[in-house]
Amino acid sequence: MSYPGYPPTGYPAFPGYPPAGQESSFPPPGQYSYPSGFPPMGGGAYPPTPSSGYPGAGGYPGAGGYPAPGGYPSAPQPGGAPSYPGGQGFGAPPSGAGFSGYPQPPSQSYGGGPAQVPLPGGFPGGPMPSQYPGGQSPYPSQPASMTQGTQGTIQPAANFDAMRDAEILRKAMKGFGTDEQAIVDVVASRSNDQRQKIKAAFKTMYGKDLIRDLKSELSGNMEELILALFMPPTYYDAWSLQNAMKGAGTQERVLIEILCTRTNQEIQEIVRCYQSEFGRDLEKDIRSDTSGHFERLLVSMCQGNRDENQNVNHQLAQEDAQRLYQAGEGRLGTDESCFNMILATRSFPQLKATMEAYSRMANRDLLSSVGREFSGNIESGLKTILQCALNRPAFFAERLYYSMKGAGTDDSTLVRIMVARSEIDLVQIKQMFSQMYQKTLGTVIASDTSGDYRRLLLAIVGQ
């Protein structure tokens, strides 16, 4: 599978990078130091969760566990711009063999299928108890109203005309100044597939590359957000993974966020795209950039071979719960390979049932046990899988919250999640964000960002 024009080359340095007067504070390209405080290592590195209704299943990442503002190791400080591929426009035109739209994951009907048989304790099959045995509150389970499918805040525009939109963008960038509002109005109300068609129409009509023109008119976070929106979704995931591993240091949380949350189809397409666009093998890059049990977990995720049968085998859930207990809490030391095997192969609905069985048997929820048995990146990776089994939108809501919590903003995480989930489940993420933090996602974004960047993010949110 080939994508002409990847990765584009020959772009001049980004305007404003490094910012005027700060040249001496910027290390040479490719020499960025590993962000301090990321990721947290060792047990107990995660602070207690907030008291504002947020679940206290123990061991969720606190603000200190996220990347320093700026996110990617190779990203400049606010006001600069990341080293996006640019150029020929991240991807084939719509008629080519390409990623014309983000593949929709199967409906997450986590309640199981016809084999749903009530077990002692009232679940699965019924509502989860308000309190786990031992008084420990679980990570929020996905509400029944949310299990019938997912929904993005961005839908394909009706009466779409790629040539008309290309003309609007051309006028917005022509002459002195830039009409950012016109750019926001077009970009935020078109699906990714439609944006690819606009990009192709722009080149056909004007003989110029839309991405090159946008890069010359925009800068900083606004540029990063616009360029991410114009990348085909699979390419954007592959680019994010490559960017997380290049240069000094590795952004493990980016690897976890993408590889531990995507569907089999999405992962398989990411692996192929990574090879075709960057000429590299994703699994080999992971092996060279990570180690130990964390490396093995990510290699397992790279296979894109998780069971995706939505029916739940409750007998297997009981057996897996017993295996996990005997591999962790029930012995001296930890059998990490047992955790890897079960969490990397079982479907998300099956893992949810296993967590419920584990809580009855061990008098402790599985997330807490993982926090007691593991630390560092492998702990974060295993917890991400379990959190997605319970409630994928809640996982992304949590990531968004901590990207904006405290001093500074982790703009790369904010941009990545907002763009990647905008056509999949951002409606559900917004719902969970309000439920978990008693604030709307739009309110927090509005208070943490500014200017055209804020306007575009709020347009993606749907307000």
Side-chain angles (χ1 to χ4, degrees):
M1 199 178 290
S2 171
Y3 304 89
Y6 284 90
T9 57
Y11 272 46
F14 292 105
Y17 176 75
Q22 298 184 31
E23 290 82 355
S24 62
S25 66
F26 279 71
Q31 305 282 325
Y32 293 98
S33 59
Y34 186 81
S36 61
F38 166 84
M41 299 299 290
Y46 296 91
T49 52
S51 58
S52 58
Y54 181 69
Y60 298 130
Y66 279 83
Y72 300 138
S74 62
Q77 300 299 319
S83 53
Y84 275 89
Q88 302 301 314
F90 332 120
S95 59
F99 304 102
S100 59
Y102 207 101
Q104 293 290 329
S107 180
Q108 299 174 25
S109 51
Y110 291 144
Q116 186 97 355
V117 179
L119 292 181
F123 65 97
M128 288 185 65
S130 59
Q131 203 79 356
Y132 263 65
Q136 292 181 336
S137 166
Y139 194 78
S141 185
Q142 189 150 310
S145 62
M146 205 180 284
T147 61
Q148 303 308 312
T150 53
Q151 183 184 351
T153 54
I154 294 180
Q155 304 290 333
N159 304 315
F160 170 67
D161 185 336
M163 296 182 76
R164 182 184 61 202
D165 287 346
E167 186 176 2
I168 292 171
L169 293 178
R170 169 71 171 154
K171 287 180 179 176
M173 295 182 286
K174 192 176 181 181
F176 294 103
T178 305
D179 184 355
E180 285 88 355
Q181 184 61 55
I183 297 175
V184 168
D185 290 343
V186 169
V187 173
S189 57
R190 305 292 185 267
S191 68
N192 189 278
D193 183 49
Q194 290 174 336
R195 290 184 213 116
Q196 305 312 313
K197 291 179 169 70
I198 294 170
K199 198 162 53 178
F202 192 93
K203 183 169 285 188
T204 300
M205 294 167 67
Y206 303 112
K208 298 183 67 177
D209 187 84
L210 175 60
I211 303 306
R212 181 188 295 272
D213 280 9
L214 287 169
K215 285 164 63 67
S216 69
E217 298 289 334
L218 305 170
S219 63
N221 294 323
M222 180 64 170
E223 177 185 356
E224 178 174 355
L225 179 54
I226 286 280
L227 297 186
L229 286 164
F230 271 101
M231 289 188 192
T234 302
Y235 180 84
Y236 185 43
D237 277 348
W239 179 87
S240 297
L241 291 171
Q242 199 252 359
N243 203 58
M245 291 185 282
K246 74 179 182 182
T250 304
Q251 290 175 274
E252 288 87 351
R253 285 205 169 276
V254 177
L255 307 183
I256 292 169
E257 179 195 302
I258 294 175
L259 293 174
C260 294
T261 65
R262 302 309 195 242
T263 65
N264 288 347
Q265 180 186 353
E266 289 165 355
I267 289 174
Q268 289 162 11
E269 290 180 351
I270 288 167
V271 170
R272 288 195 295 269
C273 182
Y274 194 93
Q275 176 68 55
S276 63
E277 306 311 330
F278 305 113
R280 303 181 66 89
D281 184 278
L282 178 57
E283 183 179 324
K284 285 183 180 177
D285 280 359
I286 287 171
R287 287 185 185 279
S288 67
D289 261 57
T290 60
S291 61
H293 299 294
F294 180 55
E295 173 197 333
R296 292 169 204 161
L297 178 66
L298 293 184
V299 168
S300 293
M301 295 296 100
C302 268
Q303 308 312 305
N305 203 26
R306 180 184 298 282
D307 177 18
E308 290 188 336
N309 183 350
Q310 298 298 294
N311 295 326
V312 173
N313 181 332
H314 295 295
Q315 180 62 39
L316 178 62
Q318 284 291 135
E319 294 169 0
D320 282 349
Q322 187 68 39
R323 289 190 192 103
L324 291 171
Y325 182 79
Q326 291 172 349
E329 299 276 9
R331 58 173 284 168
L332 186 63
T334 307
D335 179 1
E336 294 88 355
S337 62
C338 178
F339 280 83
N340 193 101
M341 185 275 289
I342 292 175
L343 270 63
T345 62
R346 305 295 190 246
S347 71
F348 285 119
Q350 185 68 38
L351 286 174
K352 183 173 184 287
T354 299
M355 296 174 76
E356 292 161 351
Y358 187 95
S359 71
R360 293 193 299 272
M361 179 194 66
N363 203 40
R364 174 181 285 117
D365 71 272
L366 185 53
L367 277 164
S368 292
S369 290
V370 167
R372 290 160 62 94
E373 297 293 323
F374 296 88
S375 63
N377 296 316
I378 180 62
E379 176 190 0
S380 297
L382 294 173
K383 283 184 173 180
T384 294
I385 294 170
L386 295 175
Q387 288 164 350
C388 283
L390 282 176
N391 190 334
R392 195 190 314 259
F395 167 77
F396 286 111
E398 178 192 60
R399 289 282 281 143
L400 285 171
Y401 177 78
Y402 282 108
S403 75
M404 295 179 281
K405 187 176 186 295
T409 304
D410 177 4
D411 291 291
S412 290
T413 295
L414 176 58
V415 167
R416 189 173 57 251
I417 295 176
M418 291 290 290
V419 172
R421 311 310 295 185
S422 62
E423 293 182 49
I424 300 178
D425 55 1
L426 192 51
V427 168
Q428 286 74 23
I429 292 169
K430 284 167 55 180
Q431 294 171 359
M432 290 310 307
F433 193 98
S434 297
Q435 178 181 323
M436 293 161 68
Y437 304 110
Q438 289 75 55
K439 300 176 184 175
T440 68
L441 177 57
T443 299
V444 177
I445 287 174
S447 66
D448 223 59
T449 58
S450 61
D452 297 313
Y453 177 52
R454 173 203 289 169
R455 192 178 304 146
L456 181 51
L457 284 172
L458 292 177
I460 295 171
V461 168
Q463 69 182 55

